[in-house]
Amino acid sequence: MMDIQAFRKNAHQMVDWMADYFEQIEQYPVKSQVKPNDIYQLLPETAPEQAEDFQAIFSDFQKTILQGITHWQSPNFFAYFPANSSYPSVLAEMLTATMGAQCMIWETSPAAAELEERMMEWLKEMMGLPNEFVGVIQDTASTATLCAILSAREKASGFTINHTGFTGKEQFRVYCSSQTHSSIDKAVRIAGLGSDHLRKIEVDEHFAMKADKLQAAIIEDIANGFTPLCVVAATGTTSSTAMDPIKMIGEVCQQHNVWLHVDAAYAGTAAILPEKRWILDGLELADSYVFNPHKWMFTNFDCTAYYVKDKGALIRTFEILPEYLKTKNDHTVNNYRDWGVQLGRRFRALKLWFVIRSFGVEGIRNRLRDHLSYATYFEQEIKQRFEVEIMTPTHLNLVCFRFKPTGLSEDALEKYNQGILDNINKSGKAYLTHTKLDGKYTIRAVFGQTYLQKKHVSALISLLEEVNTEHTLKR
Ligand SMILES: *Cc1c(COP(=O)(O)O)cnc(C)c1O
């Protein structure tokens, strides 16, 4: 077994490896090139009976595991949305892991609870969120959205469904756009509302929810005996960072007394920039709001900021106080166990504190502005160099596009773009993913990796040029 001397020695070695990894990250293929089962086959069928030497374990990590890792922290990672880390965030995670504190209630680590409270206030102030909002850290946006829908359900039922279960008479309806994230479908199922009661509202030509269609759907549902429960508006959809009109949606919600939850999981970070704060216009009409520092705000997964207007409704939905968890401070402190699904909680506020202090708010703003400028640069360059179609306006740092050589049918265009994407990703030099917009195959390029520089964007453009030329010649 590893003793403390060995721990110290190994830890130093790990830290050196970590720094080397970051320095050399561009030498790895961005997207792991292994095939299904490759790694599994390399792993022994049974656990070792005898203690193994740490050097052997570490060596197997490098030989076996690393090849099956997609390098999300590579500056050549342009796929999905980023799951950023940063040097200070990684260091905070080391401390968190070392202390291994279980931060379920104030008493189990007062600093964790109070730092979390303060960090949620910092973020609120940094982003100009409505003053009445009170925040709590959740593991993921999916969980935060589930909390919102459960709170809405409990509030609408006078906090009875938690106790009596559904009577069978409730006919709740939840609304989101056809572009909203799958976590809403999941939350509606888990909350027992039934996915048949989730209505997907039509979007406009820029993939944002049409508020008048929402209004019509709600009126129709009321006429048919349903109870509109919750609307989930997206600020920055996953496919294309489309922005639902929160203000107009909020007015519809107020009129019908419906809970409004705003999902800004990715795009919310942009609100730190005064010039991008318009993305949250109307947020004062929302009952709850979520964004993920673990996507674009340089903070290791997982760390989700969830804000609510009615803290009481949240706590009443989740509070359970068994005898063994009662403490004499219960009335004066935040016991975050009661603010969400999990009992046990990691100390997540520490990495936020490290990140915000190490970058400074100005440093974060500068980084975000760099990212936005890279997206603009990329879009301008590809428009000049290639026959491309920009599929939707670039609000932030996601560019949605496709190659569109003249004379190709829709089917042929899909194959053409798919081929380009496959070749890029096989090259290991960059990683891009796709979506479909209006049924059209669309390449997504996100410029949000922490240590991304303009030279990486230029390299991506050259790579696209190379691969596109090969494809044109093959036609
Ligand atoms: C990424 C994303 C989510 C899900 O985030 P998790 O934290 O992984 O649950 C939800 N909504 C939107 C708009 C997203 O982009």
Side-chain angles (χ1 to χ4, degrees):
M1 243 173 54
M2 196 183 295
D3 60 16
I4 187 69
Q5 285 85 10
F7 171 76
R8 186 183 299 278
K9 186 173 137 276
N10 295 333
H12 280 290
Q13 185 191 7
M14 289 298 94
V15 170
D16 275 335
W17 185 87
M18 287 157 64
D20 290 344
Y21 174 75
F22 282 128
E23 266 178 5
Q24 296 159 14
I25 198 163
E26 290 181 55
Q27 293 168 18
Y28 299 94
V30 189
K31 180 179 195 282
S32 170
Q33 306 286 313
V34 302
K35 293 190 190 53
N37 259 325
D38 280 359
I39 306 292
Y40 182 78
Q41 297 294 347
L42 294 171
L43 301 168
E45 277 170 33
T46 53
E49 198 61 40
Q50 303 301 323
E52 292 192 66
D53 178 46
F54 183 72
Q55 291 311 320
I57 303 170
F58 185 45
S59 153
D60 284 344
F61 161 74
Q62 295 179 74
K63 278 207 308 264
T64 308
I65 302 301
L66 214 48
Q67 59 175 318
I69 294 295
T70 289
H71 299 281
W72 283 69
Q73 306 313 322
S74 166
N76 298 313
F77 183 98
F78 306 98
Y80 304 103
F81 282 140
N84 278 338
S85 75
S86 61
Y87 307 141
S89 170
V90 171
L91 296 178
E93 285 285 63
M94 288 167 69
L95 299 182
T96 299
T98 302
M99 295 182 291
Q102 228 282 29
C103 307
M104 51 192 175
I105 53 179
W106 180 87
E107 193 137 316
T108 60
S109 273
E114 292 181 18
L115 186 63
E116 178 162 339
E117 184 174 358
R118 194 54 100 187
M119 288 307 98
M120 291 299 96
E121 288 166 6
W122 279 14
L123 286 177
K124 182 166 96 174
E125 203 263 335
M126 284 160 64
M127 304 187 154
L129 302 181
N131 212 28
E132 323 87 276
F133 277 19
V134 179
V136 53
I137 301 181
Q138 303 280 353
D139 54 5
T140 58
S142 305
T143 303
T145 295
L146 174 62
C147 290
I149 288 177
L150 288 172
S151 303
R153 187 195 77 184
E154 284 310 296
K155 202 170 178 178
S157 70
F159 298 90
T160 60
I161 293 176
N162 262 348
H163 300 283
T164 61
F166 289 98
T167 62
K169 291 198 209 88
E170 302 84 358
Q171 295 282 9
F172 290 125
R173 282 268 154 115
V174 176
Y175 309 81
C176 63
S177 87
S178 57
Q179 296 287 310
T180 333
H181 192 264
S182 58
S183 56
I184 290 90
D185 300 69
K186 237 189 210 177
V188 165
R189 290 184 191 185
I190 299 171
L193 302 173
S195 46
D196 291 351
H197 295 290
L198 176 63
R199 280 192 77 166
K200 303 257 169 118
I201 307 297
E202 209 180 297
V203 293
D204 66 16
E205 73 277 20
H206 296 147
F207 308 102
M209 189 195 288
K210 287 181 170 170
D212 58 334
K213 296 286 180 189
L214 172 69
Q215 172 78 297
I218 289 179
I219 288 172
E220 183 188 54
D221 280 349
I222 293 172
N224 289 325
F226 293 105
T227 306
L229 180 70
C230 177
V231 175
V232 181
T235 294
T237 57
T238 313
S239 259
S240 68
T241 59
M243 306 283 175
D244 290 345
I246 308 175
K247 199 172 173 71
M248 280 152 71
I249 292 172
E251 281 159 6
V252 173
C253 288
Q254 293 227 311
Q255 196 183 326
H256 301 287
N257 194 23
V258 177
W259 185 290
L260 173 60
H261 175 62
V262 174
D263 174 7
Y266 177 70
T269 295
I272 302 174
L273 300 174
E275 68 271 26
K276 290 292 176 191
R277 212 160 274 173
W278 60 265
I279 66 173
L280 298 182
D281 277 353
L283 192 62
E284 66 285 354
L285 300 176
D287 296 281
S288 54
Y289 172 70
V290 62
F291 95 95
N292 282 343
H294 71 222
K295 275 183 170 162
W296 190 15
M297 220 191 89
F298 318 121
T299 308
N300 277 73
F301 190 86
D302 49 6
C303 183
T304 289
Y306 177 54
Y307 286 90
V308 294
K309 210 178 251 173
D310 183 353
K311 178 177 103 180
L314 177 69
I315 293 175
R316 233 178 125 182
T317 301
F318 290 101
E319 182 177 52
I320 292 179
L321 193 54
E323 191 55 38
Y324 55 82
L325 288 176
K326 283 184 185 157
T327 69
K328 61 181 184 303
N329 291 312
D330 285 342
H331 298 291
T332 49
V333 297
N334 288 343
N335 288 323
Y336 288 119
R337 149 204 83 197
D338 295 332
W339 296 51
V341 176
Q342 325 166 269
L343 169 65
R345 310 175 84 244
R346 300 181 67 230
F347 184 7
R348 299 194 186 88
L350 191 70
K351 55 193 169 185
L352 265 180
W353 194 46
F354 273 40
V355 166
I356 296 170
R357 292 184 63 189
S358 293
F359 280 75
V361 182
E362 187 181 71
I364 295 177
R365 279 195 221 105
N366 291 341
R367 209 71 279 269
L368 299 181
R369 287 192 180 114
D370 287 345
H371 288 164
L372 298 172
S373 75
Y374 299 152
T376 310
Y377 164 68
F378 177 82
E379 182 173 336
Q380 281 167 354
E381 287 293 311
I382 62 169
K383 278 201 287 204
Q384 267 174 24
R385 291 177 192 224
F386 315 120
E387 286 180 291
V388 289
E389 181 180 6
I390 305 298
M391 307 301 282
T392 189
T394 303
H395 295 299
L396 299 170
N397 57 342
L398 165 66
V399 181
C400 292
F401 68 101
R402 63 173 177 174
F403 288 90
K404 203 180 180 189
T406 39
L408 291 194
S409 68
E410 277 299 322
D411 273 357
L413 279 175
E414 173 154 348
K415 288 210 179 67
Y416 188 87
N417 282 280
Q418 221 164 23
I420 288 187
L421 197 70
D422 285 349
N423 279 3
I424 299 258
N425 294 341
K426 256 191 265 166
S427 79
K429 291 180 189 160
Y431 185 18
L432 296 166
T433 47
H434 82 280
T435 187
K436 280 203 172 166
L437 290 175
D438 241 351
K440 295 169 190 159
Y441 190 92
T442 300
I443 301 178
R444 298 166 77 264
V446 188
F447 302 92
Q449 207 286 317
T450 309
Y451 298 109
L452 178 65
Q453 296 170 41
K454 193 167 177 188
K455 66 176 186 192
H456 301 109
V457 184
S458 303
L460 174 65
I461 296 165
S462 305
L463 183 60
L464 284 169
E465 192 147 43
E466 219 175 279
V467 175
N468 183 44
T469 309
E470 279 167 26
H471 276 252
T472 312
L473 294 176
K474 267 197 269 173
R475 275 176 64 208

